[in-house]
Amino acid sequence: MNPIEINPEQEKVHDADQKIIPNGGVRADQDGDVEVGKNSENKEDSDSIEVNKTPDSDVAKGADHQINCNGHNKYIPTSKAQVHLPKPEPPKPKMERSQSLSIVESMPSIGKYIRDRSSSFSAAIMNRLSSLKEGSGDFVLKNDSLNFEVTEFKIPGVKVIVKLKSEEERLEDQIRGRITLFTKSNCEHSIAARQFFKEKGLRYVEINIDVFTKSGDELMERTGSCEVPQIFFNDSLIGGLATLKSLSESGELHEKMKELLGPNCPEEAPKVPVYGINDEEDKEDELVGVVRFLRQSLPIQDRLIKMKMVKSCFSGPDMVEAIINHLDCGRRKGIATAKMMAQKHFMHHVFGENDFENGNHYYRFLEHEPFIMGCFNFRSSTNDNEPKPASFMADRLSKLMFSIVEMDGYVSDDRLHVDYFRISKSEEFRRYINLTRDLQRINLQLFTPNERLAFFLNLYNAMVIHAVISIGHPEGILDNKAFFFDFQYVIGGYPHSLSIIENGILRNNRKAPYSLTKPFSKGDRRLHLVPMKVNPLIHFGLCKGTRSSPKLRFFTAHNVEDELISAAKDYFQSEGIKIDGELRTVYFTRIIKWFSQDFGVQEKEILEWVLNYLEGRNAKLLKTMLGDGDPITIVYQDYDWSGNL
């Protein structure tokens, strides 16, 4: 028996003409429309519609006699009913590409289709939600305290998952105030407090008083000391790390946060530092007035001196006479003023023979030196401010660098990967760049040995970051030259490249690998910075920005030796050495080969030196191999020059 299709275009049956048809069937009203009845007895097929359940023989017998009072047939055979129903139309042929509608013409239909589908989908979800009952397979509860919130429900063909917010997320929605965390660089408690908020998923504003020095004055006014960390909820002082942990362990932290952080942050809360503004106030050098006068009045020109063409220089006697006339003083004071200018690196002897001597010598200003334009801490003019103390500069440099490696997202936790792009956009790096200008006329002779060691280790690692940001990672031999030899700072009046710092200063003026000459020639004014003895541990404190170099570290002057020992042990523990006891072979990093003279003359001396910084299995193996007297093979591994990104 064929099913009957109901034409949606037919008019609906009037309520007054509708008849209840027992056992299903088809009934016509007074307008001739067909009415379909539902078979109530067939429960299993209640969703499908079938007509004329009465056998055909019974229908045929009473078809002409069963007429109602209105003259309509009571039952209509199926064959006749199909005559009155619309016939199905064949599907329309597909349109060729040339017959397709334009985008403009089809857009209204597409929009209507999307709206219709969205409405249907929304209605289906709402109907399904309204029918959900606790305990059904489509209803899942995580706990009763959530007021029976649905976490997952299913609709035929559709799966909808509702993720409930965690307790921390709910708490954060209620917080409209600000958590302020005062910290310092290289402070264990500050690092722990930062980690506490990170694990809790709580947003906070960190103010490092080593970076934002004026914020340290505000902390002193609010708490009476500069001890850190200190935590504020809006304008209320909570205390340090111990108080924070105590509140968390007792379960009072969330209530405290709701109480103090519920409203918006008031104006009385600690001020957020303004980025792009320097805290330090620079003071002009007392000799700046004289220097500016000499720059304008002296005959500065190119001269042939000792068979060499020297550019942009002036004679010493001319300078003394100009000083005497400008200050209206005697010759003795004029000479003393000229010497002071040389000591503060306003000007230098053209051949570096002296600071300043009364006689027929030639000098030139720092901004006219041939190397100055290639220095990345020089801008359009030299820094004429009063030079800051060397110890202050070393301390400031280390604190800025510590703040960079400790900030979340700048450097990986293991210090092996560096995000140079994020560092380049940071306030800490901007302040470091400003600090480098103060290095132009710093007096490096005032450093203690440990201060000098820590200063140049930190400066080297900071310069590598600056070099990667400015010129990129080296990718070949030519790039290595530009990176390690041509990238320079003017420090204490003289140029310093990465190679100069490593091989000239830290390595006691020794040749760089594959180089034929020493960094400093006889009479170089930078020789006074060279230490009396080479410390081989420096090689494990210098990060060259490559994957095979030691991890990024910075050092403190008072503990630099112990920190270098720790760096060496860490390097050998991770990847600096591999020992095969059966083959009696030691696999070294190529750093040991390049700088072998720093570790020992003979291979055995090198192995004995390395043994001092090994631990665990490697220490036992190497000690046994050195003790039995048999030969040991040393193999140097390849160096990976790709960037530590």
Side-chain angles (χ1 to χ4, degrees), residues 185-187 191 393-407 410-420 423 426 428-429 432 435-436 439 450-469 489 498 501 506 537-538 540-545 550-568 570 644:
S185 299
N186 196 29
C187 171
I191 295 173
M393 293 294 295
D395 182 65
R396 183 79 175 133
L397 171 64
S398 65
K399 288 177 178 178
L400 282 174
M401 291 298 102
F402 272 119
S403 68
I404 286 178
V405 299
E406 291 170 0
M407 287 297 292
Y410 292 175
V411 182
S412 63
D413 293 338
D414 56 11
R415 305 284 182 91
L416 293 176
H417 305 284
V418 182
D419 190 336
Y420 294 95
I423 292 176
S426 68
E428 291 81 3
F429 185 72
Y432 163 75
L435 180 71
T436 61
L439 298 176
N450 281 348
E451 284 178 341
R452 183 186 297 116
L453 176 60
F455 172 79
F456 280 107
L457 286 170
N458 293 338
L459 183 61
Y460 183 97
N461 292 337
M463 285 179 65
V464 166
I465 294 175
H466 191 183
V468 171
I469 292 173
Y489 282 178
L498 292 169
I501 293 175
L506 295 176
L537 293 172
I538 62 169
F540 309 104
L542 299 177
C543 178
K544 302 178 185 293
K551 62 180 60 176
L552 181 61
R553 295 175 183 268
F554 294 96
F555 302 87
T556 59
H558 67 277
N559 203 29
V560 62
E561 287 289 344
D562 293 337
E563 291 167 352
L564 281 174
I565 292 174
S566 176
D570 183 56
N644 59 342

Side-chain angles (χ1 to χ4, degrees), residues 247-430:
L247 288 172
S248 178
E249 293 171 357
S250 64
E252 300 177 5
L253 179 60
H254 288 180
E255 293 301 323
K256 200 75 172 177
M257 295 176 66
K258 291 179 182 178
E259 175 187 351
L260 299 177
L261 294 171
N264 294 328
C265 186
E267 295 182 359
E268 293 77 13
K271 297 179 181 178
V272 178
V274 180
Y275 282 28
I277 298 178
N278 298 327
D279 292 339
E280 297 85 1
E281 295 181 0
D282 294 324
K283 180 182 178 182
E284 279 194 345
D285 196 292
E286 59 183 357
L287 296 177
V288 125
V290 179
V291 172
R292 289 173 179 168
F293 171 77
L294 295 176
R295 287 169 177 166
Q296 297 175 359
S297 61
L298 287 177
I300 300 173
Q301 57 189 14
D302 300 345
R303 305 170 191 266
L304 184 63
I305 306 171
K306 295 182 180 181
M307 303 302 296
K308 295 181 180 180
M309 181 59 67
V310 181
K311 295 185 176 182
S312 304
C313 62
F314 54 87
S315 69
D318 289 343
M319 181 175 64
V320 173
E321 289 299 325
I323 293 174
I324 292 173
N325 293 331
H326 179 68
L327 297 179
D328 192 16
C329 63
R331 177 167 293 276
R332 179 177 295 181
K333 184 175 180 180
I335 295 174
T337 302
K339 287 184 177 182
M340 184 64 68
M341 289 172 53
Q343 291 173 2
K344 288 190 172 184
H345 303 294
F346 279 112
M347 53 86 172
H348 292 145
H349 192 281
V350 292
F351 300 131
E353 295 176 357
N354 57 64
D355 287 338
F356 180 82
E357 290 183 2
N358 188 22
N360 192 22
H361 299 281
Y362 291 88
Y363 304 88
R364 62 182 155 212
F365 289 112
L366 180 60
E367 60 267 26
H368 295 151
E369 292 282 5
F371 60 78
I372 195 70
M373 296 303 297
C375 293
F376 281 76
N377 66 332
F378 172 80
R379 297 177 185 174
S380 58
S381 62
T382 54
N383 186 356
D384 290 340
N385 294 322
E386 181 73 24
K388 295 181 173 64
S391 59
F392 170 84
M393 293 294 295
D395 182 65
R396 183 79 175 133
L397 171 64
S398 65
K399 288 177 178 178
L400 282 174
M401 291 298 102
F402 272 119
S403 68
I404 286 178
V405 299
E406 291 170 0
M407 287 297 292
D408 185 32
Y410 292 175
V411 182
S412 63
D413 293 338
D414 56 11
R415 305 284 182 91
L416 293 176
H417 305 284
V418 182
D419 190 336
Y420 294 95
F421 178 77
R422 289 195 63 185
I423 292 176
S424 68
K425 303 299 181 182
S426 68
E427 175 67 10
E428 291 81 3
F429 185 72
R430 186 196 70 82

Side-chain angles (χ1 to χ4, degrees), residues 585-597:
T585 302
V586 177
Y587 299 88
F588 270 138
T589 173
R590 197 161 289 270
I591 294 175
I592 301 294
K593 179 179 177 61
W594 290 334
F595 306 102
S596 58
Q597 61 175 318

